[in-house]
């Protein structure tokens, strides 16, 4: 504790770690104890902001005033740091993916139980507004019974040129963006996933995947498509959710979009229209009075809720919102996706 506040130190203060440090510094329930990073330039970053600079993670572990650490290093050393921190008496928040493999996370969970220290996966995109909108549409049945969900993030700048493009560091888009997109779907749809089929892409990077397209089938028959791409110059909707009574979409992170909801099936036998060199009744547009367009629901959220919950959990005041077991399920799903891509086959999951 520092000044009677929960003291958190950040290990790894690059792009994301630096943002975490600044966010923690503004959170009134914690004190930023300091940062540790091997890059000498981050000492300057710390000095300019008045943050304490630790020479190493070991110095943080030895500081009795530090209650918790936030790990924001490349993925391949998350397990080593998390276990050392907990055995030094610190609680842990860990950037995603918490580990590159489920086996490593299982070791962390064992140490968390052994030491009684909290291990908290920082899967923070459950608090993204676009996701909360889609989740409300799903939860409240605003498009009727949902039969397909599409979640995608598409860019055109290739895989980042930093450690994310290196296999030895746990790089690749499945481990980068896939964690968030899959975590949100597994939380939103409370069913078992029964089948997985995935294709990886290596357009801009041959060492790790620079994108993927993953098809999931739930036990009810509901399907989901999860897509990440880094060489797409025209973007598709961030979200598309289709139900028996309507369809909703969100264009991008501006959260622009709408719901088209069925009013009547009365024009099911529409007049045929020209479709290339043929005719179609099946794909003919609906009459205007048979559907209605309604705005997306508004949602409120607390962007600091993850940190609030973390502190409450360490003080024994609340249940953990993002749990290691949930992160483990995501990792196992990604491993099934990698196996599917490697074997070009459908993988049975959670049976």
């Amino acid at each position: 504790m520092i000044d009677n506040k929960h003291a958190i130190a950040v290990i790894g203060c690059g792009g994301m770690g630096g943002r975490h440090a600044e966010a923690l510094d503004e959170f009134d329930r914690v004190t930023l104890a300091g940062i540790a990073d091997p890059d000498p330039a981050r000492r300057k970053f710390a000095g300019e902001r008045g943050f304490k600079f630790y020479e190493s993670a070991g110095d943080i572990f030895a500081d009795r005033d530090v209650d918790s650490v936030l790990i924001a290093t490349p993925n391949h050393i998350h397990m080593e740091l998390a276990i050392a921190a907990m055995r030094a008496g610190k609680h842990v928040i860990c950037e995603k993916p918490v580990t590159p493999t489920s086996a490593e996370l299982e070791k962390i969970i064992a140490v968390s139980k052994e030491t009684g220290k909290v291990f908290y996966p920082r899967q923070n995109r459950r608090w993204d507004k676009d996701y909360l909108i889609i989740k409300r549409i799903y939860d409240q049945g605003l498009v009727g019974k949902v039969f397909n969900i599409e979640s995608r993030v598409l860019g055109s700048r290739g895989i980042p040129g930093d450690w994310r493009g290196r296999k030895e560091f746990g790089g690749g888009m499945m481990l980068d963006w896939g964690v968030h997109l899959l975590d949100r779907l597994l939380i939103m749809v409370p069913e078992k996933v029964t089948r997985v089929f995935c294709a990886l892409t290596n357009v801009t990077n041959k060492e790790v995947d620079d994108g993927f397209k993953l098809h999931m089938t739930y036990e009810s028959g509901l399907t989901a498509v999860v897509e990440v791409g880094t060489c797409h110059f025209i973007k598709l909707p961030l979200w598309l959710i289709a139900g028996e009574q309507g369809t909703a979409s969100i264009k991008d992170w501006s959260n622009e979009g709408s719901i088209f909801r069925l009013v009547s099936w009365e024009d099911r036998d529409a007049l045929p229209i020209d479709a290339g060199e043929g005719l179609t009744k099946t794909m003919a547009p609906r009459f205007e009075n048979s559907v209605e367009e309604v705005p997306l629901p508004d949602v409120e959220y607390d962007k600091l809720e993850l940190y609030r919950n973390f502190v409450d959990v360490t003080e024994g005041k609340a249940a953990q919102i993002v749990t290691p077991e949930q992160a483990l399920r995501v990792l196992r799903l990604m491993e099934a996706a990698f196996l599917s891509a490697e074997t070009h086959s459908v993988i049975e999951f959670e049976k």
Side-chain angles (χ1 to χ4, degrees):
M1 300 287 285
I2 298 176
D3 299 327
N4 293 318
K5 291 185 177 182
H6 192 95
I8 302 179
V10 176
I11 303 175
C13 202
M16 289 305 300
R19 291 191 64 179
H20 299 336
E22 291 174 335
L24 289 169
D25 191 46
E26 296 175 359
F27 182 29
D28 59 6
R29 291 189 60 192
V30 306
T31 292
L32 178 64
I35 67 172
D37 194 291
D39 184 352
R42 304 318 282 170
R43 180 187 291 274
K44 180 180 177 182
F45 168 87
E48 289 173 346
R49 289 157 179 79
F51 301 159
K52 180 177 179 179
F53 188 82
Y54 292 88
E55 294 296 334
S56 68
D59 290 339
I60 289 177
F61 301 153
D63 189 340
R64 294 184 178 182
D65 288 333
V66 174
D67 301 299
S68 301
V69 298
L70 190 159
I71 298 172
T73 64
N75 303 329
H76 69 300
I77 55 174
H78 285 182
M79 181 186 74
E80 171 191 339
L81 290 169
I83 288 175
M86 289 187 290
R87 288 195 167 141
K90 316 300 182 187
H91 303 291
V92 175
I93 309 176
C94 190
E95 255 294 352
K96 59 78 199 170
V98 288
T99 54
T101 69
S102 61
E104 290 183 355
L105 179 52
E106 287 171 346
K107 293 178 182 178
I108 290 175
I109 292 172
V111 174
S112 176
K113 292 176 179 177
E114 167 198 323
T115 60
K117 294 302 173 181
V118 174
F119 180 77
Y120 203 112
R122 194 180 179 280
Q123 291 173 190
N124 62 311
R125 287 190 176 271
R126 295 186 193 182
W127 286 270
D128 280 0
K129 188 173 182 179
D130 59 278
Y131 169 65
L132 294 175
I133 291 171
I134 288 294
K135 188 173 186 301
R136 178 163 296 182
I137 291 171
Y138 178 88
D139 289 345
Q140 296 185 354
L142 299 183
V143 293
K145 182 180 179 182
V146 173
F147 59 84
N148 186 61
I149 303 170
E150 298 181 14
S151 172
R152 58 174 54 84
V153 177
L154 303 178
S156 61
R157 297 184 177 276
I159 197 168
D162 57 13
W163 60 266
R164 290 170 180 81
R166 302 280 299 279
K167 187 173 183 177
E168 64 182 300
F169 297 134
M173 289 295 100
M174 178 68 78
L175 288 172
D176 189 33
W177 269 102
V179 174
H180 285 310
L181 304 189
L182 295 175
D183 176 60
R184 300 190 302 186
L185 281 172
L186 292 181
I187 294 301
M188 182 168 70
V189 182
E191 300 179 20
K192 288 184 178 181
V193 176
T194 58
R195 293 189 299 279
V196 174
F197 182 77
C198 183
L200 305 178
T201 61
N202 296 93
V203 180
T204 65
N205 187 294
K206 304 304 179 184
E207 187 171 339
V208 296
D209 65 286
D210 62 2
F212 63 88
K213 193 165 189 177
L214 170 63
H215 297 260
M216 299 160 51
T217 303
Y218 288 86
E219 58 185 343
S220 68
L222 185 152
T223 57
V225 177
V226 182
E227 183 176 13
V228 174
T230 55
C231 195
H232 290 255
F233 300 92
I234 296 176
K235 293 185 178 181
L236 298 175
L238 200 63
W239 287 97
L240 185 72
I241 182 167
E244 294 177 353
Q245 299 298 315
T247 306
S249 68
I250 297 178
K251 178 181 177 183
D252 52 32
W253 287 300
S254 69
N255 295 302
E256 296 179 1
S258 58
I259 301 173
F260 282 86
R261 200 154 52 195
L262 181 69
V263 173
S264 168
W265 275 109
E266 289 179 354
D267 67 339
R268 188 184 292 246
D269 293 324
L271 296 175
I273 61 168
D274 289 325
E277 292 302 313
L279 298 176
T280 179
K281 293 173 63 177
T282 307
M283 302 304 169
R286 300 188 62 81
F287 298 143
E288 289 186 6
N289 62 358
S290 71
V291 293
E292 60 178 355
E293 182 179 4
V294 297
L296 297 172
D298 193 22
V299 295
E300 295 182 359
Y301 63 100
D302 177 3
K303 66 180 181 180
L304 292 175
E305 185 176 4
L306 184 149
Y307 290 132
R308 294 185 202 282
N309 180 245
F310 172 72
V311 175
D312 284 343
V313 172
T314 64
E315 295 175 354
K317 297 177 180 178
Q320 196 163 331
I321 294 176
V322 187
T323 69
E325 291 73 22
Q326 291 166 350
L328 186 61
R329 187 183 180 203
V330 172
L331 283 170
R332 287 173 174 162
L333 179 56
M334 291 195 298
E335 288 169 346
F338 281 130
L339 179 60
S340 172
E342 180 183 347
T343 60
H344 307 288
S345 63
V346 175
I347 302 300
E348 302 293 323
F349 189 68
E350 289 198 345
K351 280 200 171 182

